[in-house]
């Protein structure tokens, strides 16, 4: 783009002409102490809780503690630029983030400043970060499925649009992977079912966030995704506001009638950042040194996920918060809090992950409390049988380990279970279409894999899906669109699977 | 100063203020307190010496300050509580309390040049009507302001200086 000097001159001339030369009236206070990202301010008597204050030099802060003789503020920038005795101004505003269609595809910090070097973001309006969640009458029940493209999740812990489903597990168990796959999978969906996605990175390494952005770009998923990043190098205050910023962006699109998927990766670090701030502000510590209101910290965030009523445009905001546990301890403070706030959890286990079950979903402990009613009927039909197969298998697995004699039926169930377990495995970055998921699981629950060696099951699945994709296009399309697994459709599936028997190539 | 100290200083100041029956007495006492502060400044090293017993310091203060009993008592109480270091802050707080009592408000007026008496009177009047209280202005000059006035009155900052306007224009243009 060519820049013409006279144009710039005109803009500046215009700005100078319209410049207001009125005296500036502001309410101010004086910094009496600063350090560790916290400033104590004397004065500012009229300041409101959570109000944005200006420390000058481009550093903003938020009034957190309104005390008898001073105001405790958290700084949104470097505390090197704030000095004792410096002047602090009220702004009369709460923290907000500029939003607009232009924010899609961008990487921003929690104040909406671009981090991707792609220039300014054109904004329609400013959304305050902390909004009261929509009330009961403004909502409707969750009833549309949100496809993650992961068999284990879409079948056994189905997620509905507007739901809050926790992803919980130790480090390196594939939590982020599940969320990223769910985002990538949106590309597979028809435009009317596709969600806009927001990935909020809290307290992660810069390199990890860069990697996620790269992955999303490589899979063409940045077209409909916004990344909000507050990394480990940022002040705790930025980590604290990051999820609210992401949520505000999501709400903007939700109120425009869009479906939005938001991932908070992760809320453990969010709680830790809040704990750091609270302790430095000298708020009393409670269990695990977290402040007393840490439950509200997450409940007010996750409550904002919802499915709006049709009068309100019918948009939705689906939240996938992530919690990292220590040594599988789900009874620690933050995990129990978030488990009780969400509508279910996907429980990932490192022992499963290490034994090759990926995604490492513990099927027995994972639940979805509202997604079941939103599940597509075709999927629900196969999932119902699958669930029974899996639970029978888990029950019998224990006996089998003792080497005890089992009757024929039990042996059959164990063999079936082993194959189903294989079928639920899935590689990273390979989310499947609904039709593919249903076909693979249908083959399993209807015994088509029973005659195949356990180690061959994944090869069977891979070949089956490839074959169906080329030779059975119509059937797959029908399956994708079908709302019910009719007898006719089941019949077609059966005959296709019979046909495939001759095609399958044992390795 | 730690914020806890500030709270403490305010508490002592409040007690000192409560000793006076009316505005006139409070005013006189405050003046005496300021004189005492002035007088004790010369003996600062002695007063803050931890090796000197509190009782000795109190006796010394009683000798030096003889005019107002309340002031002497106030300083001695601080000494006996080992909080003599709070005295300047407490005196400052006492000043605020006195202003409140008398319906006064202090203002710091900065300008690039020395104001004429007529201008000062106008500023005083404008500030009084703005705050609804009697404004007591203290004037300073600061050539870097270039022109106009900057007033700090309690929590309010009114910036009408050329420097401030340029600053704002700069922000506007670099946005
Ligand atoms: N389904 C999968 N198949 C193969 N590898 C996986 C799968 N899911 C995750 N991984 C790998 O496991 C590692 C940890 O995954 P990640 O999602 O970063 O874990 P977490 O977020 O729980 O720390 C990554 O290297 C990732 O590539
Ligand atoms: Mg992760």
């Amino acid at each position: 783009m060519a820049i013409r000097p006279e144009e710039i001159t005109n803009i500046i001339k215009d700005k100078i002409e319209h410049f207001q030369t009125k005296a500036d009236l502001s309410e101010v206070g004086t910094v009496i102490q600063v350090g560790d990202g916290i400033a104590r301010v004397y004065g500012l008597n009229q300041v409101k809780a959570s109000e944005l204050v200006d420390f000058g030099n481009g550093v903003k802060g938020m009034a957190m503690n309104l005390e008898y003789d001073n105001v405790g503020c958290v700084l949104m920038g470097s505390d090197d630029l704030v000095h004792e005795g410096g002047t602090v101004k009220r702004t009369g505003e709460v923290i907000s983030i500029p939003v607009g269609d232009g924010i899609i595809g961008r990487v921003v910090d929690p104040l909406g400043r671009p981090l991707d070097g792609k220039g300014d973001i054109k904004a329609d309006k400013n959304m305050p970060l902390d909004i009261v969640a929509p009330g009961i009458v403004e909502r409707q029940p969750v009833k549309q499925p949100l496809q993650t493209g992961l068999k284990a999740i879409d079948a056994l812990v189905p997620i509905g649009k507007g739901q809050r489903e926790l992803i919980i597990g130790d480090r390196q168990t594939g939590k982020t992977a599940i969320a990223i796959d769910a985002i990538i999978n949106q590309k597979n969906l028809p435009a009317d079912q596709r969600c806009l996605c927001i990935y909020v990175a809290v307290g992660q390494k810069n390199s990890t966030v860069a990697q996620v952005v790269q992955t999303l770009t490589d899979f063409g998923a940045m077209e409909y995704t916004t990344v909000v990043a507050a990394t480990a190098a940022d002040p705790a205050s930025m980590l604290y506001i990051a999820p609210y910023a992401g949520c505000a962006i999501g709400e903007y699109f939700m109120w425009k009638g869009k479906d939005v998927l938001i991932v908070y990766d992760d809320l453990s670090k969010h709680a830790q950042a809040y704990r750091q701030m609270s302790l430095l502000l000298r708020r009393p510590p409670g269990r695990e040194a977290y402040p007393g209101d840490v439950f509200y910290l997450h409940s007010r965030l996750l409550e904002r996920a919802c499915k709006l009523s049709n009068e309100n445009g019918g948009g939705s905001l689906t939240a996938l918060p992530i919690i990292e546990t220590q040594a599988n301890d789900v009874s620690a403070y933050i995990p129990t809090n978030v488990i009780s706030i969400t509508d279910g959890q996907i429980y990932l286990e490192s022992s499963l992950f290490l034994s090759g079950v990926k995604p490492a979903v513990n099927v027995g402990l994972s639940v979805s409390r509202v997604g079941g009613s939103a599940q597509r009927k075709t999927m629900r039909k196969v999932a119902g049988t699958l669930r029974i197969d899996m639970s029978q298998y888990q029950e019998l697995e224990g006996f089998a380990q003792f080497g005890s004699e089992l009757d024929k039926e039990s042996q059959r169930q164990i063999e079936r279970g082993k194959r189903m377990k294989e079928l639920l495995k899935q590689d990273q970055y390979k989310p499947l279409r609904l039709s593919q998921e249903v076909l693979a699981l249908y083959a399993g629950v209807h015994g088509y894999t029973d005659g195949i060696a356990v180690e061959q099951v994944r090869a069977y699945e891979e070949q089956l899906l490839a074959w169906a994709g080329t030779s059975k296009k119509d059937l797959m399309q029908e399956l994708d669109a079908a709302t019910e697994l009719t007898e006719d459709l089941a019949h077609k599936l059966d005959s296709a699977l019979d046909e495939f028997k001759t095609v399958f190539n044992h390795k | 100063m730690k914020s806890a100290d500030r709270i403490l200083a305010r508490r002592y100041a409040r007690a000192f203020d409560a000793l006076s029956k009316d505005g006139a007495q409070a005013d006189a006492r405050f003046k005496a307190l300021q004189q005492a502060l002035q007088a004790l400044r010369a003996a600062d090293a002695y007063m803050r010496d931890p090796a000197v017993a509190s009782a000795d310091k109190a006796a010394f203060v009683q000798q030096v300050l003889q005019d107002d009993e309340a002031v002497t008592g106030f300083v001695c109480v601080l000494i006996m509580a080992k909080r003599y270091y709070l005295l300047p802050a407490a005196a400052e707080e006492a000043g605020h309390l006195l202003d409140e009592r008398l319906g006064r408000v202090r203002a710091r007026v900065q300008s690039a040049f020395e104001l004429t008496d007529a201008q000062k009177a106008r500023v005083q009047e404008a500030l009084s009507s703005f705050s609804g209280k009697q404004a007591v202005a203290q004037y300073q000059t600061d050539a870097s302001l270039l022109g106009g006035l900057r007033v700090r009155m309690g929590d309010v900052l009114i910036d009408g200086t050329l420097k401030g306007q340029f600053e704002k224009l700069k922000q506007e243009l670099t946005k």
Side-chain angles (χ1 to χ4, degrees):
Chain A
M1 191 178 72
I3 299 173
R4 292 211 309 275
E6 62 271 30
E7 231 171 67
I8 298 178
T9 315
N10 275 338
I11 294 173
I12 297 178
K13 217 177 85 194
D14 191 60
K15 277 197 175 167
I16 294 176
E17 259 166 12
H18 290 97
F19 185 70
Q20 298 270 334
T21 49
K22 263 173 51 194
D24 211 30
L25 181 86
S26 42
E27 280 178 58
V28 293
T30 311
V31 178
I32 51 180
Q33 189 189 42
V34 60
D36 302 317
I38 302 284
R40 295 209 168 257
V41 176
Y42 180 76
L44 287 181
N45 278 328
Q46 306 293 317
V47 78
K48 300 204 173 71
S50 298
E51 186 175 324
L52 201 60
V53 292
D54 188 356
F55 286 87
N57 286 332
V59 180
K60 294 270 161 69
M62 187 164 51
M64 295 283 291
N65 271 21
L66 308 185
E67 289 172 26
Y68 173 66
D69 75 323
N70 74 75
V71 179
C73 300
V74 292
L75 300 175
M76 301 285 172
S78 162
D79 46 16
D80 301 342
L81 298 170
V82 177
H83 302 287
E84 248 176 72
T87 306
V88 192
K89 277 188 195 163
R90 272 187 71 181
T91 63
E93 291 165 12
V94 291
I95 297 192
S96 59
I97 184 165
V99 286
D101 285 341
I103 206 161
I104 299 173
R106 302 297 300 268
V107 183
V108 296
D109 79 356
L111 296 174
R113 295 179 295 209
L115 296 174
D116 51 7
K118 290 186 187 159
D120 280 351
I121 293 167
K122 221 177 133 300
D124 289 353
K125 65 189 259 194
N126 276 332
M127 290 284 281
L129 294 196
D130 230 333
I131 307 172
V132 177
I136 298 166
V137 287
E138 289 169 290
R139 304 178 178 229
Q140 62 176 316
V142 171
K143 53 188 182 208
Q144 291 151 319
L146 187 143
Q147 298 295 337
T148 63
L150 293 162
K151 283 168 291 182
I153 291 168
D154 287 343
L156 297 173
V157 257
I159 300 170
K161 284 182 179 162
Q163 187 180 344
R164 302 155 298 175
E165 183 78 12
L166 170 66
I167 302 175
I168 185 167
D170 277 9
R171 51 183 286 276
Q172 293 289 309
T173 51
K175 303 184 297 298
T176 306
I178 287 183
I180 297 299
D181 277 347
I183 292 177
I184 293 175
N185 185 51
Q186 301 307 309
K187 209 172 167 74
N188 285 342
L189 300 174
D192 61 322
Q193 288 173 32
R194 189 180 295 170
C195 289
L196 288 173
C197 301
I198 297 165
Y199 179 80
V200 184
V202 184
Q204 301 183 34
K205 292 187 288 269
N206 274 308
S207 60
T208 316
V209 180
Q211 212 169 356
V212 167
V213 174
Q214 188 58 46
T215 307
L216 292 175
T217 312
D218 290 349
F219 285 91
M222 276 311 279
E223 284 164 30
Y224 51 85
T225 304
T226 304
V227 175
V228 180
T231 62
D234 288 320
S237 53
M238 292 296 239
L239 272 62
Y240 162 62
I241 62 170
Y244 302 103
C247 194
I249 300 172
E251 271 168 342
Y252 168 77
F253 291 113
M254 172 179 81
W255 283 102
K256 286 175 95 181
K258 299 263 175 35
D259 290 318
V260 183
L261 169 67
I262 183 162
V263 177
Y264 303 111
D265 195 0
D266 61 74
L267 291 187
S268 309
K269 295 201 187 68
H270 181 232
Q272 283 162 10
Y274 188 58
R275 171 169 66 183
Q276 177 184 333
M277 270 169 44
S278 298
L279 291 176
L280 287 168
L281 283 166
R282 297 178 183 279
R283 292 184 178 178
R287 187 174 157 192
E288 291 178 25
Y290 286 103
D293 62 343
V294 73
F295 184 87
Y296 181 56
L297 175 79
H298 290 146
S299 63
R300 75 174 195 264
L301 172 71
L302 295 170
E303 223 2 66
R304 285 160 72 178
C306 73
K307 168 80 184 159
L308 288 179
S309 64
N310 291 335
E311 297 82 68
N312 284 322
S316 70
L317 182 70
T318 312
L320 292 182
I322 294 178
I323 288 281
E324 186 167 291
T325 51
Q326 309 286 334
N328 287 326
D329 183 9
V330 286
S331 59
Y333 191 24
I334 304 301
T336 44
N337 276 356
V338 183
I339 286 174
S340 71
I341 297 165
T342 46
D343 304 311
Q345 70 273 353
I346 296 168
Y347 183 53
L348 303 177
E349 248 176 27
S350 39
S351 56
L352 287 174
F353 190 88
L354 294 176
S355 66
V357 181
K358 296 176 193 172
V361 181
N362 180 322
V363 180
L365 292 179
S366 300
V367 288
S368 170
R369 285 191 275 272
V370 298
S373 56
Q375 203 172 23
R376 192 75 79 86
K377 292 233 177 64
T378 44
M379 181 55 107
R380 198 185 308 173
K381 193 105 175 233
V382 287
T385 329
L386 172 64
R387 195 180 292 278
I388 296 168
D389 280 351
M390 288 305 284
S391 59
Q392 281 174 342
Y393 168 65
Q394 272 165 355
E395 219 167 90
L396 290 167
E397 201 184 12
F399 288 113
Q401 276 170 355
F402 291 119
S404 45
E405 280 289 305
L406 288 175
D407 60 283
K408 247 203 158 98
E409 176 59 16
S410 306
Q411 264 169 8
R412 191 196 64 79
Q413 282 169 354
I414 287 184
E415 290 306 312
R416 171 68 60 84
K418 279 185 188 158
R419 284 164 180 79
M420 293 314 306
K421 215 167 122 183
E422 286 299 308
L423 272 179
L424 287 177
K425 289 182 185 171
Q426 192 166 339
D427 283 339
Q428 204 177 358
Y429 310 133
K430 285 193 187 145
L432 298 175
R433 291 169 167 280
L434 179 66
S435 55
Q436 296 175 310
E437 293 178 335
V438 174
L439 179 66
L441 295 176
Y442 186 93
V445 295
H446 287 85
Y448 288 94
T449 51
D450 287 358
I452 296 168
V454 176
E455 309 77 57
Q456 294 276 315
V457 171
R458 295 197 73 188
Y460 172 86
E461 183 200 357
E462 196 177 315
Q463 289 181 30
L464 170 64
L465 296 182
W467 172 78
T470 50
S471 313
K472 294 284 166 202
K473 263 197 189 126
D474 294 346
L475 176 62
M476 295 305 267
Q477 262 165 20
E478 191 183 341
L479 196 53
D480 260 326
T483 50
E484 196 102 35
L485 193 62
T486 55
E487 234 164 83
D488 175 48
L489 192 55
H491 207 75
K492 283 185 190 161
L493 287 178
D494 282 328
S495 59
L497 286 165
D498 281 330
E499 196 182 326
F500 179 67
K501 274 183 191 159
T502 57
V503 181
F504 177 54
N505 166 18
H506 290 263
K507 279 186 190 148
Chain B
M1 170 164 285
K2 283 190 297 190
S3 64
D5 285 344
R6 208 169 266 277
I7 298 180
L8 261 180
R10 190 174 296 183
R11 245 174 234 158
Y12 278 99
R14 201 154 274 171
F16 176 72
D17 186 69
L19 287 174
S20 308
K21 288 192 304 289
D22 53 27
Q25 194 181 15
D27 202 18
R29 280 228 169 101
F30 182 67
K31 288 210 175 83
L33 179 62
Q34 277 188 316
Q35 277 163 10
L37 215 58
Q38 195 76 39
L40 287 172
R41 201 162 288 156
D44 209 40
Y46 174 77
M47 292 302 293
R48 287 177 190 254
D49 188 345
V52 181
S54 297
D56 291 345
K57 288 182 192 169
F60 168 74
V61 166
Q62 266 158 350
Q63 256 176 15
V64 181
L65 313 175
Q66 279 162 347
D67 25 341
D68 194 304
E69 264 173 42
V71 172
T72 318
F74 180 55
V75 179
C76 288
V77 164
L78 280 173
I79 291 170
M80 297 314 285
K82 299 208 186 304
R83 280 176 180 151
Y84 178 75
Y85 67 96
L86 286 179
L87 186 59
E92 195 189 318
E93 288 294 341
H96 291 315
L97 291 171
L98 179 67
D99 287 342
E100 229 168 80
R101 210 193 248 265
L102 299 178
R104 284 196 310 216
V105 55
R106 293 197 181 263
R108 196 180 67 206
V109 180
Q110 290 173 300
S111 54
F113 311 101
E114 181 79 39
L115 298 183
T116 65
D117 284 347
Q119 283 171 326
K120 283 182 183 172
R122 271 180 62 200
V123 169
Q124 197 105 2
E125 197 186 291
L127 291 178
S128 296
S129 78
F130 173 78
S131 61
K133 288 178 180 170
Q134 188 204 343
V136 183
Q138 186 201 351
Y139 297 91
Q140 292 173 349
T141 56
D142 178 354
S144 77
L145 300 178
L146 301 174
L149 289 181
R150 179 155 69 194
V151 181
R152 172 82 189 258
M153 192 164 53
D155 269 2
V156 179
L157 180 74
I158 305 167
D159 190 352
T161 61
L162 267 182
K163 185 186 180 186
Q165 312 248 351
F166 279 132
E167 211 52 58
K168 244 183 9 184
L169 192 60
K170 185 170 134 195
Q171 271 174 23
E172 195 69 27
L173 291 177
T174 51
K175 217 181 330 196

